Amino acid sequence: MNENDGTVYLVGSGPGDPELLTVRARELLEDADVVLHDKLPGPEIIGAIPPEKREDVGKRAGGERTDQEYTNDRLVELAREGNRVVRLKGGDPFVFGRGGEEMEHLAAHGIEFEVVPGLPSPVAGPGVAGIPLTHREWVSSVSFVTGHEDPDKPESTVDWAALAATGGTIVVLMGVGKLPEYTAALREAGMAPDTPVALIERATWPDQRVAVGTLADIVSVRDEAEIEPPAVTVIGEVVATRERVLEQLAGGEP
Amino acid sequence: MNENDGTVYLVGSGPGDPELLTVRARELLEDADVVLHDKLPGPEIIGAIPPEKREDVGKRAGGERTDQEYTNDRLVELAREGNRVVRLKGGDPFVFGRGGEEMEHLAAHGIEFEVVPGLPSPVAGPGVAGIPLTHREWVSSVSFVTGHEDPDKPESTVDWAALAATGGTIVVLMGVGKLPEYTAALREAGMAPDTPVALIERATWPDQRVAVGTLADIVSVRDEAEIEPPAVTVIGEVVATRERVLEQLAGGEP
């Protein structure tokens, strides 16, 4: 490491509500010389960063996505110039965030870095929607899975039958487009068609929306509600908690 | 709801580092009339709450654990007295935190509440230890599972064979004591004995420790390192990232 080099902070932004940033993330955003980000941290968090400090690596000028190699190299370049660099990722950098790849690139180039975890949307979304992910008596595990795998992979590595067999709650990230495919796969694997399912669009953003159905009808629920990405899908008996609580609140005191 | 009633905030503390509290959690702790907590938020976060505002519901006077029913009733009672009540949970209230049960109890009694998600230790621990939970090319899911189920349950509902079959990363919470049992179950399910495993004790606390081994030898690694609860266990190829990065950092620039 060169002592004139700056440091790169791989920072999770959480789900989008600025109040759900960690104290550490907020401090680092205030002190950063430059912040590399994409669209996932959401408009409120990105909007609070002075424009002259921001670099959007989610899209390039021509509308194409910036490739990971460019981002990796840019992080090294900015650090070598002595900057205090924040690489801001939606949710947590290590939960479907490609933060691991960036960390390895920095380490390989001798750049000092720190990982600052953030609240993943599959935790925060169900949280604010009133859906506990586990239950002491009847749900002992929760799995997070991506609905949108690397399109260059020769075949899917997601084993939906195994996920169904865990008996735990399943939360699918980036799972709006492939909803018909994986709900069908889960039904084929023996999951009950009346298993409750929730779609949480833009979790914790001011325009958050929640739509609830079952494994059998959630695709038409999605279409009628016009749910669009980004959203998380929650699958399991725990989803029914939300409706129970809403009914109780509507009914007043017992 | 009675308009003189207070509000209960079910707040996740995150893993224990006060800097990893959310901005919202820190504000609520500052403004609370009373904070009900157990030991899991850790000494630094609990120590920063004025003693006269704290109620420890983790242990009762006699050393026994407070039962959930007592906590539920106490939340209602404090709210009815008009208090601004924070129920502070280690990690996230809805990830093995029994927050769902407390929310349902509050709703059934017509008490206003808000859920404030927090960083779960199975996310933050691997994060600060340099272990990404997923990898775009070779890990498309991550499962969180409890190693310590409700002892009153007639039989375990954790299907270790199904978890192994997902091919994803597995993170076990409260899994120090039962490590021999579930590592054996995963091996019996066909998981390779050389699968890397990390134990992260007191993740993000000042005295955090990490011990690394394989599915075959992690029990003796635990014993030699004297790893004690609270700790999370991370099982999967992603664990090898940590060693690679540490070697690269030790080796200097390429």
Side-chain angles (χ1 to χ4, degrees):
Chain A
M1 282 173 214
N2 187 312
E3 63 181 47
N4 296 320
D5 284 355
T7 301
V8 175
Y9 299 87
L10 299 170
V11 178
S13 72
D17 178 347
E19 296 264 293
L20 294 178
L21 283 165
T22 61
V23 171
R24 178 91 178 123
R26 196 166 70 168
E27 286 168 359
L28 287 168
L29 285 173
E30 279 165 11
D31 295 346
D33 296 313
V34 55
V35 180
L36 262 67
H37 68 89
D38 52 37
K39 298 277 180 279
L40 281 176
E44 289 195 282
I45 290 173
I46 293 169
I49 304 164
E52 67 276 12
K53 291 210 283 186
R54 277 188 238 152
E55 274 191 29
D56 186 346
V57 292
K59 295 273 184 191
R60 279 175 122 153
E64 271 172 72
R65 282 190 68 79
T66 308
D67 59 24
Q68 187 63 47
E69 208 176 320
Y70 171 84
T71 303
N72 289 351
D73 291 342
R74 185 72 182 134
L75 289 173
V76 171
E77 185 176 49
L78 287 165
R80 291 251 162 94
E81 289 168 6
N83 290 295
R84 195 174 165 87
V85 185
V86 167
R87 170 66 175 119
L88 189 69
K89 311 279 235 176
D92 177 80
F94 281 177
V95 177
F96 302 106
R98 306 192 73 173
E101 293 166 67
E102 292 175 12
M103 173 181 69
E104 290 207 59
H105 189 82
L106 295 168
H109 288 78
I111 302 291
E112 201 177 314
F113 65 86
E114 181 185 323
V115 178
V116 182
L119 244 175
S121 60
V123 172
V128 297
I131 301 172
L133 292 176
T134 62
H135 192 287
R136 184 169 165 86
E137 282 159 35
W138 34 275
V139 188
S140 300
S141 72
V142 53
S143 300
F144 301 159
V145 55
T146 178
H148 184 81
E149 289 182 274
D150 181 350
D152 296 336
K153 272 200 284 197
E155 54 185 301
S156 170
T157 59
V158 177
D159 187 335
W160 294 100
L163 288 165
T166 64
T169 306
I170 301 172
V171 188
V172 187
L173 289 87
M174 296 167 282
V176 176
K178 301 275 189 192
L179 185 69
E181 285 84 349
Y182 64 79
T183 50
L186 291 169
R187 288 183 62 181
E188 273 162 39
M191 196 175 260
D194 63 354
T195 304
V197 179
L199 294 166
I200 306 166
E201 181 189 281
R202 298 171 191 266
T204 83
W205 297 21
D207 51 354
Q208 169 183 308
R209 295 194 306 151
V210 181
V212 176
T214 65
L215 208 52
D217 70 11
I218 193 68
V219 174
S220 53
V221 168
R222 174 199 69 179
D223 294 343
E224 273 165 43
E226 298 180 355
I227 297 290
E228 292 185 358
V232 296
T233 312
V234 190
I235 303 164
E237 290 304 326
V238 289
V239 170
T241 312
R242 171 181 165 86
E243 303 296 300
R244 263 202 314 275
V245 164
L246 289 175
E247 274 165 32
Q248 280 168 324
L249 291 176
E253 293 187 57
Chain B
M1 282 174 215
N2 188 313
E3 63 181 48
N4 296 319
D5 283 356
T7 301
V8 176
Y9 300 87
L10 299 170
V11 178
S13 72
D17 179 348
E19 297 262 293
L20 295 178
L21 282 166
T22 62
V23 171
R24 178 89 178 126
R26 197 167 68 168
E27 286 168 0
L28 287 169
L29 285 173
E30 280 165 11
D31 295 346
D33 296 314
V34 55
V35 180
L36 261 68
H37 68 88
D38 52 36
K39 297 278 179 280
L40 280 176
E44 289 195 283
I45 290 173
I46 293 169
I49 304 164
E52 68 276 13
K53 291 210 283 186
R54 277 187 237 154
E55 274 191 31
D56 186 345
V57 291
K59 295 272 185 195
R60 279 175 122 152
E64 270 173 72
R65 282 190 67 80
T66 308
D67 60 24
Q68 186 64 48
E69 208 175 321
Y70 172 84
T71 303
N72 289 350
D73 291 341
R74 184 72 181 134
L75 290 173
V76 171
E77 185 176 50
L78 287 165
R80 291 252 162 93
E81 289 167 6
N83 290 295
R84 196 175 165 85
V85 185
V86 167
R87 170 64 174 119
L88 190 69
K89 312 278 238 174
D92 177 80
F94 280 177
V95 176
F96 302 106
R98 306 192 73 174
E101 291 164 70
E102 292 175 12
M103 173 180 69
E104 290 206 59
H105 189 81
L106 294 169
H109 289 76
I111 301 292
E112 202 177 313
F113 65 86
E114 181 186 322
V115 178
V116 181
L119 246 174
S121 60
V123 171
V128 297
I131 301 172
L133 291 176
T134 62
H135 192 288
R136 184 168 165 86
E137 283 159 35
W138 34 276
V139 189
S140 301
S141 72
V142 54
S143 299
F144 301 158
V145 55
T146 178
H148 185 81
E149 291 183 271
D150 181 350
D152 296 334
K153 271 200 285 198
E155 55 185 300
S156 171
T157 60
V158 178
D159 186 335
W160 293 99
L163 288 166
T166 65
T169 306
I170 301 171
V171 188
V172 187
L173 289 86
M174 296 167 282
V176 175
K178 300 277 189 188
L179 186 68
E181 286 84 349
Y182 64 79
T183 50
L186 291 169
R187 287 182 63 180
E188 272 163 39
M191 196 175 259
D194 63 353
T195 304
V197 179
L199 294 167
I200 307 165
E201 181 189 281
R202 297 171 192 266
T204 84
W205 297 21
D207 50 355
Q208 170 183 306
R209 296 194 305 151
V210 181
V212 176
T214 66
L215 207 52
D217 70 11
I218 193 68
V219 174
S220 53
V221 168
R222 174 198 70 178
D223 294 343
E224 274 164 43
E226 297 179 357
I227 297 290
E228 291 186 358
V232 295
T233 312
V234 191
I235 303 164
E237 290 303 326
V238 290
V239 170
T241 312
R242 171 182 164 87
E243 303 295 299
R244 265 202 313 276
V245 162
L246 289 175
E247 274 165 32
Q248 280 169 325
L249 292 176
E253 292 189 57

